[in-house]
Amino acid sequence: MSTPLLIPESAGIHPAVTPMAFVHAVLQVYAQRGIVPDAALQAAQIAPAALHDPQARITALQMEHLCGTAMRELDDEGLGWFSRRLPWGSYGLLARASISSPSLGLAIARWCRHHGLLAADITLQLQVDGSQARITLREERDLGALREFCVLSVLRNLHGFASWLVDKHLPVHQASFPYPAPAHADVYGRLFGAPVHFAAPMACIELDAQWLQLPVVRDEAALNTMLQRALPLQVRPYKPAQPLVQQVRQVLAAHPQCLHTAASVCAQLHIAPRSLHRKLQAQGSSLQQLKDDVRQHRALHLLQRSDMPIKRIAQACGFAGEKSFIRAFHVWTGQAPGAYRQAQRGR
């Protein structure tokens, strides 16, 4: 899981609103480590002349490419913010530690607690006071020149991941930062869609505590898919899953024992098969992926909560035979269904 700064894309397709200050922050880490940043700048299509223009801005897509290349070349998902590198995949581990949480509040609390295992330079904490929830970031050391980039990115990353967990854009009441307003302070309003206060005692974002009760709707399969290309989730405003994906899931889940085909699904949704495949692809999904997700979720539930024989579970999940179910289950989990059930019962 990676953590570049999120810059929303509003009316334009790719509006250039990301300040050049954040590009210079990334380049500073390259300089500190004696690595030439040419590949990252080329990947982001940032012209050398633009680096010398303090008024220049880049798009969210350019920031995505810049940070993605930098994280790999520097092998540091923290982009130099912390006293130790966070090797590629560090934030993925953080996400996996939170995905099994039943509620958003517990997921955020776990994220904050486990972040301290990755980096002791900052402390994240979820605080609830009546109807208000606050995610705070306390600096445990001087973060130096990368302070703004670090504090802003960490909070925005956590907010983006939290929104993804519940498939809702979580509205922020206000955001506060413990440093003077920078020259590009206007960007902060775009980032959080809320009032922003500078020179505050501590960095934090505030939201309605009721959101913490929402159930986590993502599972391990969804996380694996998201982590294959996590940067777009971080550099663009989160948008809930498209209606068609939800409708297909509902059709599949309503009759999980059926051998669903594109034709049978389309008949219920009154859509042409070609249109179904095209729209699902545009939304980053596919019918087969959704079928696998629904089947896997039901299989795990039945193995954990029932004594149903494997053959009957295969039928209940829409498989033509037990062997094909066992093969698919091994791909999903790396285990045979029987071994998985035994391991779960032994806990």
Side-chain angles (χ1 to χ4, degrees), residues 106-332:
L106 182 56
I108 293 176
R110 286 179 175 175
W111 177 282
C112 292
R113 183 170 65 253
H114 293 141
H115 194 284
L117 301 177
L118 296 180
D121 309 77
I122 62 173
T123 297
L124 293 166
Q125 186 176 11
L126 173 63
Q127 302 173 342
V128 180
D129 182 11
S131 62
Q132 178 179 275
R134 182 184 295 109
I135 301 172
T136 63
L137 185 156
R138 185 175 70 247
E139 300 168 55
E140 304 296 349
R141 72 167 180 87
D142 183 359
L143 298 176
L146 296 177
R147 183 190 190 193
E148 180 197 2
F149 192 33
C150 170
V151 172
L152 183 55
S153 296
V154 170
L155 285 180
R156 193 58 194 87
N157 176 58
L158 177 50
H159 179 259
F161 180 64
S163 296
W164 177 84
L165 283 174
V166 296
D167 193 25
K168 294 182 182 295
H169 178 75
L170 300 173
V172 175
H173 286 172
Q174 67 176 14
S176 301
F177 297 90
Y179 41 77
H184 45 267
D186 62 298
V187 173
Y188 283 67
R190 291 174 173 266
L191 289 171
F192 295 98
V196 178
H197 304 284
F198 295 98
M202 185 181 297
C204 72
I205 55 175
E206 300 177 12
L207 60 155
D208 197 317
Q210 68 176 350
W211 296 114
L212 303 181
Q213 305 305 316
L214 290 176
V216 171
V217 299
R218 303 296 188 174
D219 56 18
E220 191 75 22
L223 178 62
N224 290 335
T225 300
M226 186 272 284
L227 290 178
Q228 291 175 11
R229 190 164 179 250
L231 281 170
L233 178 67
Q234 309 308 319
V235 300
R236 291 176 175 79
Y238 180 77
K239 295 181 180 180
Q242 297 294 330
L244 181 59
V245 171
Q246 296 173 345
Q247 291 173 15
V248 172
R249 283 185 180 275
Q250 291 173 356
V251 169
L252 298 174
H255 304 283
Q257 73 283 358
C258 295
L259 297 176
H260 292 286
T261 64
S264 66
V265 172
C266 289
Q268 295 192 53
L269 295 179
H270 306 289
I271 186 174
R274 181 177 297 179
S275 180
L276 173 72
H277 292 305
R278 184 180 67 253
K279 290 182 178 180
L280 288 179
Q281 182 179 23
Q283 296 170 17
S285 187
S286 69
L287 179 58
Q288 187 60 51
Q289 178 183 330
L290 294 175
K291 287 171 64 174
D292 287 342
D293 288 349
V294 171
R295 284 173 163 180
Q296 181 182 358
H297 186 271
R298 181 163 175 76
L300 294 175
H301 175 79
L302 292 175
L303 287 168
Q304 293 172 5
R305 305 294 178 84
S306 78
D307 294 318
M308 188 181 294
I310 302 300
K311 183 175 182 178
R312 286 188 57 197
I313 291 179
Q315 295 172 347
C317 293
F319 284 87
E322 183 177 355
K323 290 184 177 179
S324 59
F325 168 66
I326 292 175
R327 285 196 298 270
F329 193 89
H330 193 276
V331 171
W332 295 336

Side-chain angles (χ1 to χ4, degrees), residues 325-347:
F325 168 66
I326 292 175
R327 285 196 298 270
F329 193 89
H330 193 276
V331 171
W332 295 336
T333 67
Q335 294 180 286
Y340 176 84
R341 170 180 274 170
Q342 185 175 4
Q344 294 297 308
R345 298 288 172 84
R347 291 184 176 181

Side-chain angles (χ1 to χ4, degrees), residues 50-96:
L51 298 175
H52 305 292
D53 181 0
Q55 303 303 317
R57 301 208 172 189
I58 63 172
T59 68
L61 186 61
Q62 288 177 291
M63 192 65 179
E64 173 191 335
H65 291 315
L66 177 70
C67 291
T69 304
M71 287 175 182
R72 286 180 170 84
E73 288 193 324
L74 300 170
D75 192 24
D76 185 2
E77 290 192 343
L79 291 176
W81 305 330
F82 307 122
S83 53
R84 62 179 295 270
R85 287 187 303 104
L86 300 187
W88 185 259
S90 295
Y91 276 95
L93 294 176
L94 208 60
R96 295 188 189 283

Side-chain angles (χ1 to χ4, degrees), residues 30-54:
Y30 272 95
Q32 291 173 350
R33 299 184 183 175
I35 302 176
V36 177
D38 292 356
L41 291 173
Q42 291 175 4
Q45 297 184 351
I46 299 175
L51 298 175
H52 305 292
D53 181 0

Side-chain angles (χ1 to χ4, degrees), residues 8-22:
E9 296 184 7
S10 51
I13 298 178
H14 294 296
V17 296
T18 307
M20 193 57 64
F22 299 148

